Amino acid sequence: DVKVTQSSRYLVKRTGEKVFLECVQDMDHENMFWYRQDPGLGLRLIYFSYDVKMKEKGDIPEGYSVSREKKERFSLILESASTNQTSMYLCASSLSGLAGNEQFFGPGTRLTVL
Amino acid sequence: AQSVTQLDSHVSVSEGTPVLLRCNYSSSYSPSLFWYVQHPNKGLQLLLKYTSAATLVKGINGFEAEFKKSETSFHLTKPSAHMSDAAEYFCVVIRGSNYQLIWGAGTKLIIKP
C-alpha cells in the first residue's frame, strides 16, 4: 500500500520560531510537493521537487524553504513562523514525467502559530 | 492561462438522491482534469481523471464526470448518494506542461439522512 507520512498531525509554535515539517514517501517517487490548504482557497503549491537536491517555487514560496537530500524525504522549513502561516500543510508525491500522474497525499499537519 | 472554478462551496442532498458537483475550467488547449476527494481527517485521494480519451470518465465509489468542451465543464455526478460520500471534493486542472496542478476552492458535500 502506497504511503506518504508527515512527521506531525498537529503542531503549535510561537511567532518567530523555526519550524520543520517532514514528509517521507515509500513509493520511490521522483516528484514531491508541499501545499497549504486554507478554507475557500483550495490547495496552493508552496514548493515542489522533481529530483534529489532540486526544487522549484510554487505559487506562494515566500516565508518558506525546502530541502530534499534524499529521494524519499522532503522537508518544509518556516524560517521564522508568523501567524499568517497558521494552516493545514499537505505533502504529496508522484511519479516523474507527466503532470497527469496521480499525486498521493499525506494526512496533513495542522500548524498553529501563536 | 489555466484556471478552474467550482460553482458551489456547499452542496446538500438527501441520501439516495443524485449528486451533482459543478466545475468549469479555462484552458488555452485541451486540458487534463481531475477530481480529488478529501474525507474528514483523511488524506486527499484521486477520484477520477480525464486525459483526452473518453469524455465520460468513471471513478471510484460510483462517481463519474463528463468532459464537455463546448461548455468548458467537468461536472462530477453520482446517481445515488450514500452517507459515506460526505466529504470535500476538489476539481483540478494541470498547469501547462510542468508538474503543477491548479486546484479549485472545493465543494463540501453534505448528505442528509
Side-chain angles (χ1 to χ4, degrees):
Chain A
D1 198 18
V2 297
K3 208 159 187 183
V4 179
T5 56
Q6 295 184 229
S7 50
S8 306
R9 291 299 302 269
Y10 300 92
L11 209 52
V12 180
K13 295 291 181 181
R14 297 209 173 271
T15 302
E17 280 193 83
K18 192 168 186 175
V19 182
F20 293 88
L21 302 182
E22 297 274 314
C23 175
V24 177
Q25 51 95 3
D26 66 359
M27 296 165 282
D28 202 34
H29 284 169
E30 288 77 14
N31 300 335
M32 296 189 75
F33 307 82
W34 274 108
Y35 295 92
R36 64 178 281 175
Q37 181 180 11
D38 299 289
L41 296 178
L43 274 68
R44 292 180 291 167
L45 183 65
I46 304 172
Y47 269 97
F48 69 100
S49 168
Y50 51 89
D51 201 352
V52 175
K53 298 192 186 293
M54 304 303 289
K55 60 185 179 185
E56 293 276 348
K57 291 180 180 178
D59 295 315
I60 51 165
E62 297 77 21
Y64 304 94
S65 62
V66 291
S67 172
R68 193 165 181 202
E69 296 296 319
K70 292 185 178 181
K71 189 176 185 180
E72 67 271 17
R73 189 179 297 269
F74 193 35
S75 303
L76 179 70
I77 303 148
L78 286 66
E79 295 290 342
S80 177
S82 63
T83 54
N84 62 13
Q85 292 179 309
T86 291
S87 186
M88 172 70 86
Y89 289 87
L90 297 173
C91 175
S93 71
S94 71
L95 288 168
S96 69
L98 297 175
N101 288 329
E102 178 179 357
Q103 292 190 12
F104 294 87
F105 285 83
T109 296
R110 188 166 292 283
L111 173 67
T112 302
V113 182
L114 303 174
Chain B
Q2 288 74 35
S3 67
V4 64
T5 303
Q6 292 184 245
L7 298 168
D8 306 291
S9 59
H10 294 78
V11 169
S12 181
V13 302
S14 296
E15 191 174 19
T17 64
V19 174
L20 170 64
L21 305 184
R22 298 181 296 165
C23 173
N24 285 353
Y25 69 90
S26 172
S27 178
S28 51
Y29 48 83
S30 186
S32 290
L33 293 154
F34 310 80
W35 279 97
Y36 277 80
V37 60
Q38 186 177 38
H39 286 95
N41 299 315
K42 289 191 177 178
L44 278 151
Q45 181 184 19
L46 180 67
L47 202 56
L48 51 80
K49 70 176 180 182
Y50 166 78
T51 53
S52 75
T55 56
L56 184 63
V57 183
K58 293 193 185 298
I60 59 173
N61 301 332
F63 283 93
E64 61 183 37
E66 187 170 9
F67 174 73
K68 290 187 176 180
K69 187 174 180 180
S70 60
E71 299 175 11
T72 61
S73 69
F74 190 57
H75 300 336
L76 182 70
T77 59
K78 184 174 181 178
S80 175
H82 192 273
M83 294 300 290
S84 61
D85 295 327
E88 189 160 20
Y89 293 79
F90 294 92
C91 183
V92 185
V93 66
I94 290 177
R95 172 181 292 163
S97 59
N98 65 17
Y99 303 94
Q100 298 186 38
L101 302 179
I102 300 172
W103 293 72
T107 298
K108 279 206 170 84
L109 178 61
I110 299 158
I111 312 295
K112 297 178 289 188

